mmCIF file of all heavy atoms in Angstrom:
data_model
loop_
_atom_site.group_PDB
_atom_site.id
_atom_site.type_symbol
_atom_site.label_atom_id
_atom_site.label_comp_id
_atom_site.label_asym_id
_atom_site.label_seq_id
_atom_site.Cartn_x
_atom_site.Cartn_y
_atom_site.Cartn_z
ATOM 1 N N VAL A 37 7.627 3.639 -16.694
ATOM 2 C CA VAL A 37 7.970 4.965 -16.093
ATOM 3 C C VAL A 37 9.119 5.039 -15.232
ATOM 4 O O VAL A 37 9.487 6.067 -14.662
ATOM 5 C CB VAL A 37 6.663 5.586 -15.359
ATOM 6 C CG1 VAL A 37 5.570 5.952 -16.330
ATOM 7 C CG2 VAL A 37 6.264 4.621 -14.214
ATOM 8 N N LEU A 38 9.832 3.802 -15.141
ATOM 9 C CA LEU A 38 10.951 3.723 -14.222
ATOM 10 C C LEU A 38 12.357 3.539 -14.913
ATOM 11 O O LEU A 38 12.366 2.905 -15.999
ATOM 12 C CB LEU A 38 10.766 2.602 -13.177
ATOM 13 C CG LEU A 38 9.536 2.834 -12.210
ATOM 14 C CD1 LEU A 38 9.353 1.566 -11.353
ATOM 15 C CD2 LEU A 38 9.751 4.066 -11.356
ATOM 16 N N PRO A 39 13.397 3.960 -14.281
ATOM 17 C CA PRO A 39 14.747 3.673 -14.835
ATOM 18 C C PRO A 39 14.960 2.163 -14.613
ATOM 19 O O PRO A 39 14.390 1.526 -13.738
ATOM 20 C CB PRO A 39 15.705 4.473 -13.938
ATOM 21 C CG PRO A 39 14.999 4.815 -12.681
ATOM 22 C CD PRO A 39 13.457 4.768 -13.059
ATOM 23 N N LEU A 42 15.325 0.201 -11.378
ATOM 24 C CA LEU A 42 14.080 -0.001 -10.516
ATOM 25 C C LEU A 42 13.096 -1.032 -11.200
ATOM 26 O O LEU A 42 12.000 -1.258 -10.646
ATOM 27 C CB LEU A 42 13.403 1.271 -10.258
ATOM 28 C CG LEU A 42 14.144 2.169 -9.206
ATOM 29 C CD1 LEU A 42 13.578 3.569 -9.252
ATOM 30 C CD2 LEU A 42 14.223 1.627 -7.865
ATOM 31 N N ASP A 108 5.552 -3.747 0.904
ATOM 32 C CA ASP A 108 5.965 -2.347 0.817
ATOM 33 C C ASP A 108 7.171 -2.083 1.697
ATOM 34 O O ASP A 108 7.967 -1.141 1.419
ATOM 35 C CB ASP A 108 4.768 -1.408 1.277
ATOM 36 C CG ASP A 108 4.383 -1.621 2.718
ATOM 37 O OD1 ASP A 108 4.180 -2.821 3.085
ATOM 38 O OD2 ASP A 108 4.196 -0.727 3.391
ATOM 39 N N PRO A 117 13.683 0.115 -2.365
ATOM 40 C CA PRO A 117 12.441 -0.672 -2.077
ATOM 41 C C PRO A 117 12.175 -1.770 -3.096
ATOM 42 O O PRO A 117 12.487 -1.656 -4.274
ATOM 43 C CB PRO A 117 11.334 0.344 -2.138
ATOM 44 C CG PRO A 117 11.982 1.711 -2.239
ATOM 45 C CD PRO A 117 13.349 1.494 -2.630
ATOM 46 N N PHE A 119 9.494 -2.745 -4.436
ATOM 47 C CA PHE A 119 8.683 -2.131 -5.526
ATOM 48 C C PHE A 119 8.327 -0.710 -5.045
ATOM 49 O O PHE A 119 8.226 -0.500 -3.828
ATOM 50 C CB PHE A 119 7.473 -3.008 -5.814
ATOM 51 C CG PHE A 119 6.305 -2.882 -4.855
ATOM 52 C CD1 PHE A 119 5.213 -2.186 -5.157
ATOM 53 C CD2 PHE A 119 6.335 -3.589 -3.618
ATOM 54 C CE1 PHE A 119 4.088 -2.050 -4.307
ATOM 55 C CE2 PHE A 119 5.217 -3.499 -2.752
ATOM 56 C CZ PHE A 119 4.207 -2.714 -3.061
ATOM 57 N N LEU A 120 8.024 0.185 -5.951
ATOM 58 C CA LEU A 120 7.634 1.509 -5.682
ATOM 59 C C LEU A 120 6.119 1.494 -5.616
ATOM 60 O O LEU A 120 5.357 1.398 -6.607
ATOM 61 C CB LEU A 120 8.108 2.564 -6.693
ATOM 62 C CG LEU A 120 9.594 2.627 -6.755
ATOM 63 C CD1 LEU A 120 10.048 3.840 -7.630
ATOM 64 C CD2 LEU A 120 10.207 2.786 -5.397
ATOM 65 N N ALA A 121 5.629 1.452 -4.342
ATOM 66 C CA ALA A 121 4.189 1.201 -4.104
ATOM 67 C C ALA A 121 3.330 2.306 -4.798
ATOM 68 O O ALA A 121 2.226 1.932 -5.376
ATOM 69 C CB ALA A 121 3.942 1.260 -2.566
ATOM 70 N N GLN A 122 3.719 3.547 -4.726
ATOM 71 C CA GLN A 122 2.842 4.579 -5.337
ATOM 72 C C GLN A 122 2.784 4.506 -6.898
ATOM 73 O O GLN A 122 1.760 4.712 -7.521
ATOM 74 C CB GLN A 122 3.418 5.910 -4.874
ATOM 75 C CG GLN A 122 3.249 6.074 -3.363
ATOM 76 C CD GLN A 122 4.256 7.077 -2.808
ATOM 77 O OE1 GLN A 122 5.361 7.101 -3.043
ATOM 78 N NE2 GLN A 122 3.709 8.089 -2.075
ATOM 79 N N THR A 123 3.932 4.223 -7.493
ATOM 80 C CA THR A 123 3.934 4.125 -8.976
ATOM 81 C C THR A 123 3.075 2.924 -9.350
ATOM 82 O O THR A 123 2.275 2.953 -10.305
ATOM 83 C CB THR A 123 5.447 3.934 -9.397
ATOM 84 O OG1 THR A 123 6.109 5.062 -9.188
ATOM 85 C CG2 THR A 123 5.483 3.593 -10.864
ATOM 86 N N HIS A 126 -0.629 3.803 -9.036
ATOM 87 C CA HIS A 126 -1.104 4.700 -10.059
ATOM 88 C C HIS A 126 -1.266 3.967 -11.387
ATOM 89 O O HIS A 126 -2.261 4.061 -12.120
ATOM 90 C CB HIS A 126 -0.102 5.811 -10.297
ATOM 91 C CG HIS A 126 -0.404 6.913 -11.343
ATOM 92 N ND1 HIS A 126 -1.054 8.097 -11.007
ATOM 93 C CD2 HIS A 126 -0.394 6.880 -12.619
ATOM 94 C CE1 HIS A 126 -1.394 8.822 -12.058
ATOM 95 N NE2 HIS A 126 -0.960 8.078 -13.122
ATOM 96 N N MET A 127 -0.229 3.167 -11.795
ATOM 97 C CA MET A 127 -0.247 2.499 -13.044
ATOM 98 C C MET A 127 -1.321 1.445 -13.144
ATOM 99 O O MET A 127 -1.733 0.999 -14.256
ATOM 100 C CB MET A 127 1.098 1.941 -13.375
ATOM 101 C CG MET A 127 2.242 2.929 -13.502
ATOM 102 S SD MET A 127 1.837 4.438 -14.385
ATOM 103 C CE MET A 127 2.306 3.942 -16.050
ATOM 104 N N TYR A 133 -1.297 9.016 -8.291
ATOM 105 C CA TYR A 133 -0.058 9.457 -7.534
ATOM 106 C C TYR A 133 0.276 10.875 -7.909
ATOM 107 O O TYR A 133 0.634 11.167 -9.030
ATOM 108 C CB TYR A 133 1.102 8.465 -7.900
ATOM 109 C CG TYR A 133 2.400 8.744 -7.305
ATOM 110 C CD1 TYR A 133 2.464 9.306 -5.992
ATOM 111 C CD2 TYR A 133 3.647 8.441 -7.895
ATOM 112 C CE1 TYR A 133 3.735 9.485 -5.359
ATOM 113 C CE2 TYR A 133 4.805 8.625 -7.258
ATOM 114 C CZ TYR A 133 4.878 9.212 -6.013
ATOM 115 O OH TYR A 133 6.019 9.389 -5.364
ATOM 116 N N GLN A 135 2.530 14.090 -7.860
ATOM 117 C CA GLN A 135 3.957 14.234 -7.675
ATOM 118 C C GLN A 135 4.266 15.743 -7.877
ATOM 119 O O GLN A 135 3.445 16.508 -8.425
ATOM 120 C CB GLN A 135 4.791 13.478 -8.663
ATOM 121 C CG GLN A 135 4.426 11.974 -8.660
ATOM 122 C CD GLN A 135 5.314 11.123 -9.456
ATOM 123 O OE1 GLN A 135 6.512 11.042 -9.172
ATOM 124 N NE2 GLN A 135 4.813 10.527 -10.499
ATOM 125 N N LYS A 148 13.056 18.978 -2.769
ATOM 126 C CA LYS A 148 12.315 17.696 -3.240
ATOM 127 C C LYS A 148 11.050 17.534 -2.342
ATOM 128 O O LYS A 148 11.120 17.422 -1.152
ATOM 129 C CB LYS A 148 13.340 16.503 -3.056
ATOM 130 C CG LYS A 148 12.661 15.193 -3.029
ATOM 131 C CD LYS A 148 12.336 14.510 -4.323
ATOM 132 C CE LYS A 148 11.657 13.212 -4.191
ATOM 133 N NZ LYS A 148 10.852 12.772 -5.347
ATOM 134 N N PHE A 150 8.023 14.959 -1.566
ATOM 135 C CA PHE A 150 7.577 13.664 -1.699
ATOM 136 C C PHE A 150 6.189 13.619 -2.340
ATOM 137 O O PHE A 150 5.343 14.403 -1.896
ATOM 138 C CB PHE A 150 7.613 12.835 -0.406
ATOM 139 C CG PHE A 150 8.916 12.774 0.179
ATOM 140 C CD1 PHE A 150 9.166 12.997 1.569
ATOM 141 C CD2 PHE A 150 10.055 12.391 -0.616
ATOM 142 C CE1 PHE A 150 10.397 12.804 2.139
ATOM 143 C CE2 PHE A 150 11.304 12.263 0.014
ATOM 144 C CZ PHE A 150 11.519 12.514 1.352
ATOM 145 N N GLY A 151 5.908 12.673 -3.205
ATOM 146 C CA GLY A 151 4.533 12.549 -3.796
ATOM 147 C C GLY A 151 3.633 11.613 -2.871
ATOM 148 O O GLY A 151 4.150 10.950 -2.031
ATOM 149 N N VAL A 152 2.337 11.763 -3.204
ATOM 150 C CA VAL A 152 1.309 11.077 -2.423
ATOM 151 C C VAL A 152 0.204 10.579 -3.242
ATOM 152 O O VAL A 152 -0.264 11.215 -4.127
ATOM 153 C CB VAL A 152 0.889 11.899 -1.143
ATOM 154 C CG1 VAL A 152 0.274 13.278 -1.683
ATOM 155 C CG2 VAL A 152 -0.180 11.173 -0.391
ATOM 156 N N CYS A 153 -0.292 9.382 -3.018
ATOM 157 C CA CYS A 153 -1.449 8.825 -3.718
ATOM 158 C C CYS A 153 -2.737 9.149 -2.993
ATOM 159 O O CYS A 153 -2.793 9.117 -1.750
ATOM 160 C CB CYS A 153 -1.351 7.263 -3.742
ATOM 161 S SG CYS A 153 -0.120 6.594 -4.890
ATOM 162 N N PHE A 162 -5.637 4.925 3.571
ATOM 163 C CA PHE A 162 -5.359 3.577 2.996
ATOM 164 C C PHE A 162 -3.871 3.423 2.997
ATOM 165 O O PHE A 162 -3.146 4.393 3.220
ATOM 166 C CB PHE A 162 -5.992 3.367 1.644
ATOM 167 C CG PHE A 162 -5.276 4.128 0.547
ATOM 168 C CD1 PHE A 162 -4.489 3.330 -0.298
ATOM 169 C CD2 PHE A 162 -5.279 5.429 0.404
ATOM 170 C CE1 PHE A 162 -3.695 4.014 -1.307
ATOM 171 C CE2 PHE A 162 -4.597 6.100 -0.584
ATOM 172 C CZ PHE A 162 -3.784 5.329 -1.429
ATOM 173 N N ALA A 163 -3.463 2.301 2.718
ATOM 174 C CA ALA A 163 -2.010 2.035 2.522
ATOM 175 C C ALA A 163 -1.781 0.988 1.404
ATOM 176 O O ALA A 163 -2.638 0.178 1.133
ATOM 177 C CB ALA A 163 -1.250 1.590 3.784
ATOM 178 N N ILE A 164 -0.663 1.083 0.744
ATOM 179 C CA ILE A 164 -0.380 0.259 -0.386
ATOM 180 C C ILE A 164 0.541 -0.825 0.209
ATOM 181 O O ILE A 164 1.665 -0.568 0.740
ATOM 182 C CB ILE A 164 0.378 0.987 -1.500
ATOM 183 C CG1 ILE A 164 -0.444 2.243 -1.938
ATOM 184 C CG2 ILE A 164 0.644 0.038 -2.742
ATOM 185 C CD1 ILE A 164 0.396 3.395 -2.441
ATOM 186 N N PHE A 201 1.240 16.731 2.957
ATOM 187 C CA PHE A 201 1.913 15.450 3.069
ATOM 188 C C PHE A 201 3.405 15.667 3.409
ATOM 189 O O PHE A 201 3.949 14.863 4.151
ATOM 190 C CB PHE A 201 1.855 14.748 1.721
ATOM 191 C CG PHE A 201 2.408 13.251 1.836
ATOM 192 C CD1 PHE A 201 1.749 12.316 2.571
ATOM 193 C CD2 PHE A 201 3.613 12.940 1.144
ATOM 194 C CE1 PHE A 201 2.274 10.995 2.645
ATOM 195 C CE2 PHE A 201 4.114 11.672 1.245
ATOM 196 C CZ PHE A 201 3.486 10.714 1.908
ATOM 197 N N ASN A 202 4.050 16.763 2.925
ATOM 198 C CA ASN A 202 5.467 16.975 3.279
ATOM 199 C C ASN A 202 5.708 17.631 4.537
ATOM 200 O O ASN A 202 6.704 17.458 5.241
ATOM 201 C CB ASN A 202 6.083 17.665 2.104
ATOM 202 C CG ASN A 202 6.328 16.705 0.945
ATOM 203 O OD1 ASN A 202 7.507 16.142 0.869
ATOM 204 N ND2 ASN A 202 5.329 16.452 0.081
ATOM 205 N N TRP A 205 2.510 16.011 7.773
ATOM 206 C CA TRP A 205 1.996 14.625 7.612
ATOM 207 C C TRP A 205 1.492 14.141 8.896
ATOM 208 O O TRP A 205 0.543 13.301 8.950
ATOM 209 C CB TRP A 205 2.892 13.746 6.884
ATOM 210 C CG TRP A 205 4.248 13.520 7.637
ATOM 211 C CD1 TRP A 205 5.389 14.232 7.531
ATOM 212 C CD2 TRP A 205 4.555 12.480 8.545
ATOM 213 N NE1 TRP A 205 6.332 13.812 8.313
ATOM 214 C CE2 TRP A 205 5.882 12.666 9.084
ATOM 215 C CE3 TRP A 205 3.814 11.349 9.060
ATOM 216 C CZ2 TRP A 205 6.463 11.841 9.948
ATOM 217 C CZ3 TRP A 205 4.416 10.582 10.018
ATOM 218 C CH2 TRP A 205 5.754 10.820 10.408
ATOM 219 N N TYR A 210 -3.597 15.645 5.106
ATOM 220 C CA TYR A 210 -3.509 15.169 3.705
ATOM 221 C C TYR A 210 -4.490 14.082 3.441
ATOM 222 O O TYR A 210 -4.929 13.963 2.283
ATOM 223 C CB TYR A 210 -2.076 14.732 3.345
ATOM 224 C CG TYR A 210 -1.686 13.419 3.806
ATOM 225 C CD1 TYR A 210 -1.916 12.215 3.054
ATOM 226 C CD2 TYR A 210 -1.057 13.141 5.074
ATOM 227 C CE1 TYR A 210 -1.528 10.964 3.444
ATOM 228 C CE2 TYR A 210 -0.694 11.889 5.483
ATOM 229 C CZ TYR A 210 -0.918 10.869 4.721
ATOM 230 O OH TYR A 210 -0.601 9.588 5.108
ATOM 231 N N ARG A 211 -4.914 13.284 4.389
ATOM 232 C CA ARG A 211 -5.742 12.155 4.160
ATOM 233 C C ARG A 211 -7.165 12.614 3.782
ATOM 234 O O ARG A 211 -7.894 11.901 3.196
ATOM 235 C CB ARG A 211 -5.819 11.280 5.399
ATOM 236 C CG ARG A 211 -4.505 10.605 5.767
ATOM 237 C CD ARG A 211 -4.702 9.695 6.880
ATOM 238 N NE ARG A 211 -3.431 9.200 7.525
ATOM 239 C CZ ARG A 211 -2.861 8.020 7.286
ATOM 240 N NH1 ARG A 211 -3.322 7.133 6.418
ATOM 241 N NH2 ARG A 211 -1.736 7.612 7.950
HETATM 242 C C1 B12 B 301 11.355 5.326 1.801
HETATM 243 C C2 B12 B 301 9.931 5.739 2.111
HETATM 244 C C3 B12 B 301 9.859 6.913 2.909
HETATM 245 C C4 B12 B 301 10.995 7.816 3.254
HETATM 246 C C5 B12 B 301 11.292 8.673 1.933
HETATM 247 C C6 B12 B 301 10.024 9.081 1.171
HETATM 248 C C7 B12 B 301 10.192 9.048 -0.304
HETATM 249 N N1 B12 B 301 9.040 9.122 -0.979
HETATM 250 O O1 B12 B 301 11.194 8.867 -0.935
HETATM 251 C C8 B12 B 301 10.429 8.661 4.475
HETATM 252 C C9 B12 B 301 10.989 7.999 5.726
HETATM 253 C C10 B12 B 301 10.813 10.147 4.473
HETATM 254 C C11 B12 B 301 8.938 8.394 4.431
HETATM 255 C C12 B12 B 301 8.104 9.091 5.103
HETATM 256 C C13 B12 B 301 6.739 8.918 5.040
HETATM 257 N N2 B12 B 301 5.992 7.947 4.435
HETATM 258 CO CO1 B12 B 301 6.915 6.664 3.223
HETATM 259 N N3 B12 B 301 7.600 5.255 2.102
HETATM 260 C C14 B12 B 301 8.753 5.067 1.685
HETATM 261 C C15 B12 B 301 8.780 3.790 0.869
HETATM 262 C C16 B12 B 301 9.213 2.618 1.678
HETATM 263 C C17 B12 B 301 9.593 3.877 -0.462
HETATM 264 C C18 B12 B 301 9.506 5.229 -1.192
HETATM 265 C C19 B12 B 301 10.760 5.409 -2.072
HETATM 266 O O2 B12 B 301 11.862 5.156 -1.745
HETATM 267 N N4 B12 B 301 10.451 5.877 -3.248
HETATM 268 C C20 B12 B 301 11.624 6.087 -4.262
HETATM 269 C C21 B12 B 301 11.404 7.438 -4.913
HETATM 270 C C22 B12 B 301 12.678 7.816 -5.735
HETATM 271 O O3 B12 B 301 10.235 7.260 -5.779
HETATM 272 P P1 B12 B 301 9.470 8.458 -6.352
HETATM 273 O O4 B12 B 301 9.739 9.738 -5.631
HETATM 274 O O5 B12 B 301 8.052 8.025 -6.421
HETATM 275 O O6 B12 B 301 10.060 8.624 -7.830
HETATM 276 C C23 B12 B 301 9.714 7.691 -8.812
HETATM 277 C C24 B12 B 301 8.368 8.139 -9.624
HETATM 278 O O7 B12 B 301 8.548 9.518 -9.880
HETATM 279 C C25 B12 B 301 8.598 7.354 -10.906
HETATM 280 N N5 B12 B 301 8.006 7.962 -12.027
HETATM 281 C C26 B12 B 301 8.595 8.786 -12.977
HETATM 282 N N6 B12 B 301 7.704 9.229 -13.847
HETATM 283 C C27 B12 B 301 6.444 8.834 -13.527
HETATM 284 C C28 B12 B 301 5.227 8.994 -14.071
HETATM 285 C C29 B12 B 301 4.110 8.372 -13.416
HETATM 286 C C30 B12 B 301 2.768 8.650 -14.097
HETATM 287 C C31 B12 B 301 4.306 7.595 -12.341
HETATM 288 C C32 B12 B 301 3.139 6.926 -11.648
HETATM 289 C C33 B12 B 301 5.513 7.422 -11.769
HETATM 290 C C34 B12 B 301 6.667 8.016 -12.287
HETATM 291 O O8 B12 B 301 10.008 7.305 -11.057
HETATM 292 C C35 B12 B 301 10.716 7.744 -9.932
HETATM 293 C C36 B12 B 301 11.827 6.841 -9.643
HETATM 294 O O9 B12 B 301 12.792 6.990 -10.703
HETATM 295 C C37 B12 B 301 7.272 3.754 0.479
HETATM 296 C C38 B12 B 301 6.737 2.267 0.361
HETATM 297 C C39 B12 B 301 7.179 1.652 -1.090
HETATM 298 N N7 B12 B 301 7.631 0.440 -1.015
HETATM 299 O O10 B12 B 301 7.065 2.279 -2.045
HETATM 300 C C40 B12 B 301 6.574 4.398 1.615
HETATM 301 C C41 B12 B 301 5.319 5.328 1.433
HETATM 302 C C42 B12 B 301 5.590 6.220 0.218
HETATM 303 N N8 B12 B 301 5.263 6.177 2.550
HETATM 304 C C43 B12 B 301 4.070 6.484 2.921
HETATM 305 C C44 B12 B 301 3.759 7.235 4.125
HETATM 306 C C45 B12 B 301 2.246 7.254 4.428
HETATM 307 C C46 B12 B 301 4.691 7.956 4.737
HETATM 308 C C47 B12 B 301 4.491 8.886 5.948
HETATM 309 C C48 B12 B 301 3.216 9.739 5.996
HETATM 310 C C49 B12 B 301 4.677 8.179 7.288
HETATM 311 C C50 B12 B 301 3.709 7.078 7.451
HETATM 312 N N9 B12 B 301 4.141 5.888 7.132
HETATM 313 O O11 B12 B 301 2.576 7.342 7.909
HETATM 314 C C51 B12 B 301 5.735 9.860 5.774
HETATM 315 C C52 B12 B 301 5.420 11.157 5.034
HETATM 316 C C53 B12 B 301 6.485 11.735 4.189
HETATM 317 C C54 B12 B 301 7.165 12.846 4.929
HETATM 318 N N10 B12 B 301 6.602 14.019 4.830
HETATM 319 O O12 B12 B 301 8.161 12.606 5.508
HETATM 320 C C55 B12 B 301 2.996 5.712 2.024
HETATM 321 C C56 B12 B 301 2.403 6.738 1.110
HETATM 322 C C57 B12 B 301 0.905 6.402 0.846
HETATM 323 C C58 B12 B 301 0.285 7.301 -0.109
HETATM 324 N N11 B12 B 301 -0.987 7.586 0.032
HETATM 325 O O13 B12 B 301 0.875 7.742 -1.086
HETATM 326 C C59 B12 B 301 3.923 4.631 1.330
HETATM 327 C C60 B12 B 301 3.491 4.295 -0.069
HETATM 328 C C61 B12 B 301 3.863 3.352 2.229
HETATM 329 C C62 B12 B 301 2.561 2.628 2.166
HETATM 330 N N12 B12 B 301 2.593 1.417 2.706
HETATM 331 O O14 B12 B 301 1.505 2.963 1.798
HETATM 332 N N13 B12 B 301 8.672 7.436 3.517
#
Side-chain angles (χ1 to χ4, degrees):
V37 291
L38 295 175
L42 290 167
D108 62 315
F119 78 103
L120 297 191
Q122 296 158 308
T123 295
H126 184 99
M127 300 314 274
Y133 182 29
Q135 309 189 62
K148 159 82 184 159
F150 298 134
V152 55
C153 285
F162 75 105
I164 307 152
F201 187 69
N202 281 266
W205 61 273
Y210 77 88
R211 297 185 192 261

